[in-house]
Amino acid sequence: MKVRALVTVVMVIVAGASSPALASVPPPPPPRPVADFTGDGLSDPAVWNPTSGRWRLRLPCDEDLGQPCGWSHGTLTGGGPGWFAVPGDFDGDGDADPAVYDPWAGSWRIVPIDAQPWQDSLGVPGDVPVPADYDGDGRTDIAVVELSTGLWTVRRSSDSVVTRQQWGAPTDVPVPADYDGDGLADIAVMRPATGHWVVLRSSDGSKLYQQWGQAGDRPVQADYDGDGRADLAVFRPSTGYWWILRSADNTPSVVPWGESTDWPVPADYDGDGATDIAVFREPPDSFAQDSGLWLILGSPPLSFGAAGEQPVVSGAVR
């Protein structure tokens, strides 16, 4: 486990109105890192070019396979205007799979690193992909939400049954994650104008309604305290601060990390079971290869990413 170089500042002034602590839950199952394309328990930096449809994954050393440190694996998934990158463990083998969603056709293309690619269909024009493990079988389920109506459609990988749930308003941002620690992703939205989060807990069907954030914030929900539950969190581009409401003790943590133009890319890069605060800084030179910077709190800067490439960590990225 690495030693963090920047001390987290815990403040008594929260990003929004206070509320009672979240209800206690049984001990959570061990967390599975997102964007772990090799199954080693660490999230791997990855980039996607939406024009060419090419992914590049910066994978770790493997002397047995002759892989040098920092080698780059290229995968072609396809891409186009308005397409989303939607990585996830769709086959349940413990490795994240590069994948894309074409919103115009409602088509999903999944390209595992060590298996044959396949396609699936779910969604209509205007839908936004919200892949996650909603049934707790260890596989990412393909899912979409119709923003105009707030209708979520999920195809469970465990039995191929399609479920539907109305949750949210047209201006809400989908933020699915496992907020109650039962091993299933919860349907959830954030209201960007007010910073309110509305979560439908899968464990008991109850609603969590919490104000956390303000207009202009970007949601970055993840398990930052390692308790097996996703924490409400936002990145504030105007200041470069991260505001995290830790689910372990319901206390706020505020960390300065990043600039207004950075992409937030939180993930568990060191394999300690807790999500690391991190940002991707786009290349300043359009001709230099891999001049993009991954700045992970507590780790040395990592150069990876060229002009035209977008960072990919988890969820839907466009």
Side-chain angles (χ1 to χ4, degrees), residues 192-193 214-218 235-238:
Q214 64 184 32
D217 289 350
R218 300 180 62 178
F235 172 68
R236 190 159 295 164
S238 60

Side-chain angles (χ1 to χ4, degrees), residues 200-286:
L200 178 59
R201 291 189 178 104
S202 57
S203 56
D204 58 10
S206 64
K207 180 176 74 172
L208 165 67
Y209 188 77
Q210 171 75 54
Q211 198 280 333
W212 191 255
Q214 64 184 32
D217 289 350
R218 300 180 62 178
V220 286
Q221 70 280 1
D223 183 12
Y224 295 93
D225 53 16
D227 70 342
R229 292 177 286 176
D231 307 310
L232 307 187
V234 296
F235 172 68
R236 190 159 295 164
S238 60
T239 62
Y241 278 71
W242 295 63
W243 292 75
I244 301 168
L245 182 60
R246 301 187 307 193
S247 56
D249 53 15
N250 206 42
T251 59
S253 175
V254 184
V255 182
W257 195 258
E259 299 177 353
S260 61
T261 56
D262 290 343
W263 296 63
V265 288
D268 184 8
Y269 295 99
D270 56 8
D272 66 353
T275 297
D276 303 306
I277 291 174
V279 296
F280 172 79
R281 191 159 296 164
E282 293 183 337
D285 188 341
S286 60

Side-chain angles (χ1 to χ4, degrees), residues 56-275:
R56 291 193 302 126
L57 317 175
R58 193 181 192 280
L59 304 182
C61 317
D62 192 326
E63 294 181 358
D64 293 336
L65 296 179
Q67 298 167 184
C69 295
W71 72 290
S72 176
H73 174 84
T75 297
L76 190 64
T77 58
W83 286 38
F84 292 81
V86 288
D89 185 6
F90 294 93
D91 53 12
D93 65 352
D95 300 350
D97 308 310
V100 292
Y101 174 71
D102 175 2
W104 313 112
S107 175
W108 299 68
R109 180 171 173 78
I110 300 157
V111 186
I113 293 178
D114 54 1
Q116 291 298 311
W118 76 89
Q119 294 190 17
D120 210 332
S121 296
L122 185 72
V124 297
D127 287 354
V128 170
V130 284
D133 184 8
Y134 295 95
D135 55 8
D137 69 344
R139 290 179 288 176
T140 301
D141 305 311
I142 63 173
V144 295
V145 58
E146 185 179 14
L147 295 181
S148 61
T149 63
L151 181 64
W152 294 60
T153 303
V154 178
R155 180 182 295 156
R156 299 188 310 219
S157 55
S158 56
D159 55 13
S160 298
V161 170
V162 174
T163 64
R164 292 180 172 85
Q165 174 71 52
Q166 201 286 326
W167 197 259
T171 57
D172 290 347
V173 176
V175 287
D178 183 8
Y179 296 95
D180 52 12
D182 65 349
L184 283 70
D186 304 310
I187 291 175
V189 296
M190 178 200 177
R191 299 199 166 132
T194 63
H196 283 89
W197 298 63
V198 189
V199 178
L200 178 59
R201 291 189 178 104
S202 57
S203 56
D204 58 10
S206 64
K207 180 176 74 172
L208 165 67
Y209 188 77
Q210 171 75 54
Q211 198 280 333
W212 191 255
Q214 64 184 32
D217 289 350
R218 300 180 62 178
V220 286
Q221 70 280 1
D223 183 12
Y224 295 93
D225 53 16
D227 70 342
R229 292 177 286 176
D231 307 310
L232 307 187
V234 296
F235 172 68
R236 190 159 295 164
S238 60
T239 62
Y241 278 71
W242 295 63
W243 292 75
I244 301 168
L245 182 60
R246 301 187 307 193
S247 56
D249 53 15
N250 206 42
T251 59
S253 175
V254 184
V255 182
W257 195 258
E259 299 177 353
S260 61
T261 56
D262 290 343
W263 296 63
V265 288
D268 184 8
Y269 295 99
D270 56 8
D272 66 353
T275 297

